[in-house]
Every structure is written in C-alpha cells, then in structure tokens.
C-alpha cells in the first residue's frame, strides 16, 4: 500500500515516562505504516531539557511558529523530588507554560465521546469545550512570605511617575502574591475564543469574578465585550450563536444543568481546574483532546494529562501495562488533520478522520484499556481489557 504523502513537516515534541513509550508505539503501529511521516523532531524529555538548559523547549516553540502545526507528548514539570531523581541542574519551568507564552495561544479542551461511556452528569449529551487562557495570572505570579509590616504594590510609568497600591498591613506572619496580565494577551485570548466558537458553530460563554476583582477581572470582561462588539457581533448573529458573559459561579451552575454544546472561556487558573473537572465528569482525563491555538492561526496539539508515572515504573520493571493512549492518538490525528487542511492534502485529512473513528469504534466494540473497563456499559457488549500495544494493534486493524 502506498503511503500518504505530506508536504510540510509537523513539529514533533517528544516527552517523558510512559507517554514517551506510548508516543513511540503510536507512531510505529498507527501512523508510519500509513503515512510517509515528515516531522521536525525536538526531544522535550527532562534529560534533554537539562542538557540544553531548556533551550530545546524554546526552539520547539519557535519551530512551531515557523511551520504552523505541532504535536506534543506529555512532559514532566520538575519539583524538588524530580530534581533529585533526575539529578537536574535546577527546577525547570513548565514546558507547556514556556510554549504557550511564546505562541500567545489559548488552550481548547474537549471530551472524546464514546457510546458506552456515560458522563457522570447524565444531562451532558454534547461536548463542553474549555477555552483556557494560557498566559499570566497565578502561573506568572511572584509570591513570598510576609511578617510584621506593610505590603504595597509599586508601579512606575515610562515617564517616571510612581503609583502605590496598598495590599495589607500585617501584624503577624502571612503570605503575599502579585500577578499580572496584559491587554495584548487578553485580546488574543478573546479573538481565539470567538474564532474557535465560530469554527465549531457553538455558543461562547465567558466567566470571571468581576464583582470581587473589579479592576483585574473587570478588565477581562471589558476587553471581551469590546472585541465582540467591534469584530464579532455580526458574525455570531449570522451564525445563529450567542456570546454571553456571566460570573464563574453562575456558569458552573448553568454548565451542570446544561446538555453541553458550549465553548466555556476561562482565565488561566479557572481553566486549569475546570478542564480537569469536565474531563473527569465525562469519564477520563485520558479521553480529552487539547489544542493550543494562537490568534494568528498556529496550532499545537497535545494530550491533556500527565506522563503516567506509576505505569512507567511498572514498564521499566518489565511488567505489562494497560495505559490509555487515546488522548495522545487524538493529538496526532488533530495535528495531521490541521496539516492536511493547511496544505490542501485531502488524503491526510481522511486518514486523521479514519484514525479517530477506528479508535472510538475499537472501544465501542468492547476492546479497551483497563481504566475504561469500569466505566463502560453497553447492552450486548462485554468490555475486555487489553494491554497498551494490543489496544493500538486493534485500532490499526480498523483503519
């Protein structure tokens, strides 16, 4: 069988632990037998990041700006224990955070729906897509300990004019934090959300807590409203979809009562938390797509979960594992589809579609990894647990 040709490479970012093993198997079993794969490869595993003082992460993001499409494996963000385990020079920052800052993108996460896996919230019949701002806030915060004394924020403009904002007058020990965002990044976030909602033809809900954070969150609200009114209102009305702003606690209540079919835009920390809640409520973090989209059309696809450390330790002992690779498969299919769309290569788009359908139909037939067995209930079908490689081979047989 002649392999499907690619015109432009995809930026390939390899990762850590069990997801690194799955990454290799997915390429060998599901992609390379069918596609003449062209990638520009970057090793974002911890040893290589340490060797290059994390330059490899920056280089991979710059390559993504060049080629327009990337696919990323899950990576470790090291804590103190990881620094000791890997004998690292220092505690490196999150690769995702570095890449997101360079691409100035928004992360969109959506569940992969399968007949036989019912959401814990039974009213959810359609996907809920979480749009997470990927810059600033608590992830760029400066924090520290405080004692007896006064904490203030000092700002000096370009002309040297100072301003002081009182924070708290401490009469004992405590903690402080200062965080920021930029109008430029918030506008990029807004445009990415409006564009994505239009592409999906789904309503967009944006939530903050501007009743409490009147200036900080109020600025997000005002910028979203300005961008909508001046650039997107007519487009949304023509598409027959709505844009709504409301408080985050109101959206949480609305989401639980909804049937889904909504793009929910969240600030950085809110999106981090709510995407895990939504993924778990739909069944599993391993059944969640994730794509970083910049306002100028750069795409980076990834799995929304971690590196599956526990399974990796079993694997290196020679024990069999049944690790769910679905989110990583959909990262590859998403990147291949987008590459096909940008290069006008319909065979590549068709392959991405067939890969996703084969993955879903394999699970619906009763063949799956161990994490899904307890969730799967379908009349006439008895779920069977497969190890990771056998699950991938079952998918390949359906492509």
């Amino acid at each position: 069988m002649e392999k499907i040709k690619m015109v432009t490479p995809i930026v390939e970012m390899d990762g850590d632990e069990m997801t690194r093993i799955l990454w290799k198997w997915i390429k060998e079993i599901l992609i390379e037998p069918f596609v003449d794969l062209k990638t520009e490869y970057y090793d974002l595993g911890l040893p290589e990041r340490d060797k290059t003082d994390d330059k490899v992460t920056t280089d991979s993001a710059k390559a993504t700006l060049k080629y327009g499409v990337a696919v990323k494996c899950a990576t470790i963000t090291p804590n103190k224990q990881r620094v000791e385990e890997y004998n690292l020079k220092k505690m490196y920052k999150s690769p995702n955070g570095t890449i997101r800052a360079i691409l100035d993108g928004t992360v969109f996460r959506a569940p992969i729906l399968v007949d036989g896996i019912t959401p814990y919230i039974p009213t959810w019949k359609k996907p809920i897509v979480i749009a997470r701002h990927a810059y600033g806030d608590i992830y760029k915060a400066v924090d520290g300990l405080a004692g007896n004394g006064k904490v203030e924020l000092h700002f000096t403009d370009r002309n040297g004019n100072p301003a002081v904002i009182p924070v708290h007058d401490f009469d004992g020990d405590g903690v402080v934090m200062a965080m920021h965002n930029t109008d430029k990044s918030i506008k990029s976030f807004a445009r990415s959300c409006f564009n994505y909602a239009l592409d999906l033809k789904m309503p967009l809900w944006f939530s903050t807590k501007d009743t409490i954070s009147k200036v900080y969150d109020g600025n997000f609200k005002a910028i979203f409203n300005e961008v909508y009114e001046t650039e997107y209102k007519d487009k949304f009305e023509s598409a027959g979809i709505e844009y709504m702003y409301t408080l985050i606690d109101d959206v949480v209540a609305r989401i639980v009562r909804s049937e889904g079919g909504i793009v929910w835009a969240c600030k950085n920390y809110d999106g981090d938390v709510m995407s895990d809640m939504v993924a778990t409520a739909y069944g599993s973090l391993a059944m969640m797509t994730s794509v970083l989209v910049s306002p100028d059309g750069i795409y980076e696809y990834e799995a929304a979960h971690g590196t599956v450390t526990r399974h990796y330790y079993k694997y290196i002992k020679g024990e069999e594992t049944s690790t769910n690779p679905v989110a990583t498969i959909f990262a590859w299919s998403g990147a291949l589809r987008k590459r096909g769309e940008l290069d006008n290569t319909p065979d590549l788009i068709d392959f991405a579609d067939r890969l996703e359908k084969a993955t879903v139909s394999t699970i619906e037939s009763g063949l799956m990894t161990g994490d899904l067995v307890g969730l799967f209930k379908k009349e006439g079908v008895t779920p069977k647990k497969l190890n990771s490689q056998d699950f991938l081979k079952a998918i390949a047989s359906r492509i």
Side-chain angles (χ1 to χ4, degrees):
M1 181 183 71
E2 186 176 355
K3 293 185 180 182
I4 297 164
K5 302 296 182 184
M6 292 179 62
V7 176
T8 310
I10 289 171
V11 176
E12 177 186 352
M13 306 174 185
D14 209 343
D16 288 300
E17 296 188 322
M18 198 64 215
T19 45
R20 185 182 182 95
I21 306 302
L22 292 174
W23 191 263
K24 178 174 179 288
W25 291 343
I26 289 167
K27 287 170 61 180
E28 291 175 350
I29 297 170
L30 295 181
I31 299 174
E32 290 174 340
F34 307 96
V35 178
D36 187 11
L37 188 61
K38 294 177 68 173
T39 72
E40 183 161 311
Y41 178 85
Y42 293 86
D43 184 356
L44 266 57
L46 253 186
E48 186 65 19
R49 278 184 275 149
D50 189 57
K51 179 181 175 182
T52 64
D53 295 316
D54 212 28
K55 183 175 180 293
V56 65
T57 304
T58 302
D59 288 347
S60 70
K62 291 178 179 177
T64 304
L65 291 173
K66 175 182 177 181
Y67 290 107
V69 181
V71 59
K72 180 182 174 295
C73 183
T75 46
I76 295 169
T77 299
N79 56 16
K80 183 178 179 181
Q81 181 264 320
R82 293 295 201 169
V83 171
E84 295 173 357
E85 179 183 355
Y86 282 84
N87 193 27
L88 303 177
K89 299 171 191 171
K90 63 180 182 179
M91 200 179 302
Y92 296 97
K93 295 180 179 179
S94 160
N96 288 339
T98 299
I99 293 165
R100 289 166 186 166
I102 292 171
L103 300 186
D104 189 24
T106 297
V107 178
F108 295 91
R109 290 182 172 174
I112 301 162
L113 303 185
V114 174
D115 183 18
I117 299 177
T118 303
Y120 289 102
I121 299 177
T123 58
W124 289 0
K125 307 298 183 186
K126 303 174 184 176
I128 295 169
V129 180
I130 297 286
R132 174 189 172 190
H133 191 202
Y135 175 79
D137 298 342
I138 199 168
Y139 300 88
K140 286 283 186 177
V142 177
D143 59 2
L145 300 173
N148 267 331
K150 186 183 296 184
V151 177
E152 299 172 328
L153 284 175
H154 289 250
F155 169 72
T156 305
D157 69 19
R158 298 299 182 193
N159 297 319
N161 301 311
V164 178
I165 303 171
V167 177
H168 188 67
D169 195 351
F170 283 87
D171 59 6
D173 291 342
V175 290
V176 295
M177 175 184 291
M179 61 186 196
H180 79 280
N181 224 294
T182 68
D183 285 5
K184 178 184 176 183
S185 183
I186 299 167
K187 286 177 182 176
S188 294
F189 173 40
R191 292 188 179 106
S192 293
C193 291
F194 288 126
N195 287 332
Y196 206 78
L198 285 169
D199 286 345
L200 297 180
K201 292 184 170 55
M202 290 168 64
L204 174 67
W205 295 356
F206 176 48
S207 61
T208 70
K209 193 70 172 176
D210 69 289
T211 52
I212 302 299
S213 178
K214 298 181 188 301
V215 176
Y216 196 103
D217 283 19
N219 198 46
F220 275 82
K221 175 185 177 181
I223 287 173
F224 260 74
N225 186 64
E226 177 193 357
V227 171
Y228 176 70
E229 291 291 336
T230 58
E231 300 178 33
Y232 290 95
K233 185 175 182 179
D234 291 343
K235 296 176 183 177
F236 267 58
E237 290 177 352
S238 295
I241 56 177
E242 69 165 352
Y243 165 64
M244 179 184 73
Y245 171 83
T246 188
L247 298 175
I248 188 166
D249 42 341
D250 181 47
V251 170
V252 169
R254 288 172 181 264
I255 285 287
V256 170
R257 295 194 305 265
S258 78
E259 66 171 8
I262 300 153
V263 179
W264 177 10
C266 296
K267 288 168 55 193
N268 206 344
Y269 181 76
D270 295 343
D272 192 1
V273 175
M274 293 303 169
S275 62
D276 279 7
M277 183 273 289
V278 168
T280 303
Y282 273 104
S284 171
L285 267 176
M287 300 291 287
M288 195 85 167
T289 65
S290 182
V291 55
L292 178 71
V293 183
S294 75
D296 50 353
I298 306 296
Y299 296 80
E300 184 243 328
Y301 296 81
E302 61 180 354
H305 56 70
T307 57
V308 202
T309 304
R310 183 172 59 86
H311 284 198
Y312 179 64
Y313 291 153
K314 289 179 64 177
Y315 170 80
I316 59 179
K317 291 178 183 176
E319 298 176 22
E320 186 176 89
T321 63
S322 182
T323 315
N324 191 333
V326 171
T328 306
I329 294 170
F330 272 66
W332 272 103
S333 63
L336 291 170
R337 182 184 295 106
K338 181 55 64 176
R339 185 76 276 163
E341 291 171 357
L342 295 176
D343 291 346
N344 193 26
T345 49
D347 287 351
L348 195 58
I349 299 171
D350 177 67
F351 171 76
D353 292 341
R354 287 189 287 120
L355 176 56
E356 291 181 2
K357 289 176 183 176
T359 302
V360 171
S361 68
T362 299
I363 298 170
E364 292 178 342
S365 75
L367 302 176
M368 62 198 70
T369 48
D371 61 312
L372 300 180
V373 170
L375 302 173
F376 189 86
K377 292 179 178 62
K378 186 177 180 182
E379 189 175 350
V381 180
T382 300
K384 180 182 179 182
K385 175 183 173 180
L386 301 180
N387 65 41
S388 300
Q389 282 185 299
D390 285 346
F391 178 60
L392 294 173
K393 289 174 183 175
I395 294 170
S397 70
R398 287 169 168 79
I399 297 174

